[in-house]
Amino acid sequence: MNVRKTVTVVEEVRVEGERAVSPPATVAVVAAVIRNPWAGQGFVEDLGPGIDANASDLGALLAPAVLEELGAPAEAYGKAAIVGLDGEIEHGSALIHTLAFGDHFRKAADATTLLPAVEKRGAAGIVFDIPLKHVTDATIRSHHQTVEVRIADAPHPEEIVIALAAAAQGRPQQRLAAFSTERDPSA
């Protein structure tokens, strides 16, 4: 795993809808900017060796770091893979859609749900939104949210940005009813 740098973003929302949010709604993101393990190789049929060499180490690096930055138990979480222009979206997907990567975060967060994800290709400085969902119940509406991220100089064409995000709560001032209380429109 060739990490050029890591980037941390911590957002604290203190006012939403002209009302105080107390305690502040906190979301943390930790991203690693890595060299694409398949860069310069043309089309690679078997991504397995690159996955084996990188996915678990990335999860082990990012999972404890994002929870430490959050400073509270995670209630919502998500992940991202942003591939530089010389790579394939499949390269990012290969790294984040494995148990070797995701289980580090699930175990550290005491989570049971699938990690929602964004994957895309783009130039350095691309803006991307990481979707978040509740760590144990994906139907809890209050925790369906996104966090916007931008790294000014990444990804380079032969890099991938791999990021994890965690929230200590649902959306600030959330007030939608639970899915189970919604009336069936076919009734």
Side-chain angles (χ1 to χ4, degrees), residues 45-56:
E45 188 67 40
D46 181 6
L47 300 177
I51 294 168
D52 293 344
N54 295 280
S56 183

Side-chain angles (χ1 to χ4, degrees), residues 34-178:
I34 67 165
R35 177 164 173 74
N36 183 334
W38 301 282
Q41 299 178 37
F43 186 85
V44 176
E45 188 67 40
D46 181 6
L47 300 177
I51 294 168
D52 293 344
N54 295 280
S56 183
D57 290 343
L58 282 166
L61 171 71
L62 296 174
V66 73
L67 293 175
E68 181 178 333
E69 292 296 333
L70 185 63
E75 289 188 14
Y77 68 165
K79 61 187 173 183
I82 312 305
V83 179
L85 293 176
D86 288 349
E88 299 174 40
I89 294 172
E90 189 70 2
H91 296 161
S93 296
L95 294 174
I96 67 170
H97 290 302
T98 66
L99 294 177
F101 175 78
D103 275 354
H104 287 283
F105 203 8
R106 272 186 284 283
K107 288 175 184 170
D110 293 323
T112 56
T113 57
L114 291 175
L115 272 158
V118 61
E119 302 116 303
K120 64 193 279 185
R121 181 177 30 245
I126 190 168
V127 175
F128 56 98
D129 290 342
I130 302 175
L132 305 174
K133 295 202 185 288
H134 195 277
V135 296
T136 59
D137 186 348
T139 67
I140 296 176
R141 284 185 176 159
S142 60
H143 289 61
H144 292 199
Q145 55 189 314
T146 59
V147 58
E148 184 177 282
V149 183
R150 177 182 177 273
I151 302 172
D153 71 340
H156 290 172
E158 293 186 345
E159 290 181 332
I160 304 175
V161 174
I162 302 293
L164 292 179
Q169 70 298 304
R171 295 182 309 277
Q173 314 296 19
Q174 74 81 25
R175 51 200 177 273
L176 295 178

